[in-house]
Amino acid sequence: MSQTAAFEQEPAFIEVGEGLGARRIAVRARAGSNPGLFWLGGFKSDMTGTKAIALDAWAAEHGRSSVRFDYSGHGESGGDFADGTIGRWLEESVAVFSQFCRGPQVVIGSSMGGWMALLLAREIMRRGNAKAQLAGLVLIAPAPDFTEELMWKGFSPEIRAEIETKGVWLRPSEYGDGSPYPITRDLIEEGRNHLLLGSKIDVGCPVRILQGAQDPDVPWKHAFALVHRLPAEDVVLTMIQDGDHRLSRPQDIARIIAAVAEI
């Protein structure tokens, strides 16, 4: 199946949350054999990005099941981006995984999606969900704890003061249409409930990490910090010397698919 055909697949919608916290989440699920693919996108990204479409097309060509979705405030899902927090987006990730996945799954997380994948793995282990399990994780420029380590700790005193007093700071962006996006006090403060890098991270499955050495958003040292928190067995870090944050070039896509196929 071509990437165009994969893109044209119509989304389904599910409701996550209750009352004023309810939001409508857009999901594209493709039936097929296992291990299936489960995509977790990045901060301010959506499920129609280059990597997500390429992986869905690969799954279709190989008869694999594939699930991708948009977090609330992203893409085709409802909700306001400024209301988003790590816990809110994790709740959505768990809901989609639980409802649409059956059997072993390769979870692919990009940037913030890498953090989500690790949190999802921990949640699956806690719940002991027998309907769907993890076959492995493929993490692309993973950004666990980014709200604290890569945002808050790197912000100037002026930016911190603006977030604390106004509740939001508009961060310039080089991605998408270039429009600045809100970094809220809720995003920073709630993110502290989900920090992982301070202790051992047990995911219970193989892990493959792809990291660009030229990544300006998630430094390669961040990937090394993550590796040191993962179990020693069956964890492989691939450093792409000329790779940026997106890792969306044809050669990068090929490496990502190779990692997925290996698992």
Side-chain angles (χ1 to χ4, degrees):
M1 176 176 291
S2 69
Q3 291 194 8
T4 300
F7 176 79
E8 290 173 352
Q9 181 188 4
E10 289 298 317
F13 291 90
I14 64 170
E15 291 288 331
V16 179
E18 299 178 352
L20 295 176
R23 55 267 191 211
R24 192 168 181 251
I25 302 302
V27 184
R28 283 184 167 87
R30 183 185 306 286
S33 64
N34 287 330
L37 275 57
F38 185 74
W39 171 258
L40 289 163
F43 189 70
K44 261 293 188 180
S45 298
D46 62 48
M47 62 174 159
T48 62
T50 304
K51 293 187 291 293
I53 293 295
L55 285 162
D56 183 68
W58 181 87
E61 289 166 5
H62 291 80
R64 298 286 187 88
S65 65
S66 175
V67 177
R68 53 197 167 104
F69 72 101
D70 287 330
Y71 309 114
S72 58
H74 292 68
E76 297 168 281
S77 289
D80 189 336
F81 177 81
D83 292 332
T85 63
I86 300 304
R88 185 180 176 94
W89 294 326
L90 175 61
E91 180 187 17
E92 296 156 9
S93 303
V94 171
V96 174
F97 186 87
S98 299
Q99 186 164 332
F100 288 90
C101 295
R102 296 292 181 269
Q105 303 290 317
V106 179
V107 176
I108 307 111
S110 177
S111 194
M112 181 182 80
W115 189 3
M116 285 292 155
L118 295 165
L119 292 170
L120 176 65
R122 186 173 68 176
E123 194 65 25
I124 291 169
M125 292 182 70
R126 283 178 178 172
R127 296 186 178 198
N129 183 358
K131 293 181 179 179
Q133 312 83 35
L134 293 185
L137 300 180
V138 175
L139 310 179
I140 307 159
D145 301 10
F146 79 89
T147 52
E148 193 71 15
E149 297 298 324
L150 304 180
M151 284 187 172
W152 187 252
K153 289 184 177 180
F155 287 162
S156 67
E158 292 77 16
I159 292 173
R160 289 190 189 190
E162 185 169 343
I163 292 172
E164 289 174 337
T165 57
K166 296 182 179 179
V168 65
W169 170 62
L170 294 178
R171 180 177 187 169
S173 174
E174 297 180 1
Y175 300 103
D177 62 2
S179 300
Y181 51 83
I183 304 300
T184 66
R185 186 171 59 227
D186 284 347
L187 176 71
I188 299 295
E189 292 180 349
E190 199 278 339
R192 292 172 180 147
N193 298 327
H194 307 282
L195 301 180
L196 293 173
L197 294 178
S199 60
K200 178 183 176 183
I201 305 172
D202 188 6
V203 295
C205 65
V207 181
R208 301 291 179 266
I209 300 172
L210 296 96
Q211 175 69 45
Q214 309 304 319
D215 188 337
D217 298 308
V218 181
W220 60 265
K221 291 182 180 179
H222 200 72
F224 273 80
L226 170 59
V227 168
H228 287 309
R229 293 302 185 185
L230 291 166
E233 66 273 11
D234 215 358
V235 175
V236 178
L237 168 62
T238 299
M239 189 67 66
I240 302 169
Q241 187 62 28
D242 62 346
D244 60 7
H245 183 61
R246 289 188 178 95
L247 292 181
S248 293
R249 302 169 302 176
Q251 63 266 38
D252 300 326
I253 297 293
R255 290 187 181 101
I256 293 166
I257 289 175
V260 170
E262 179 187 352
I263 293 175

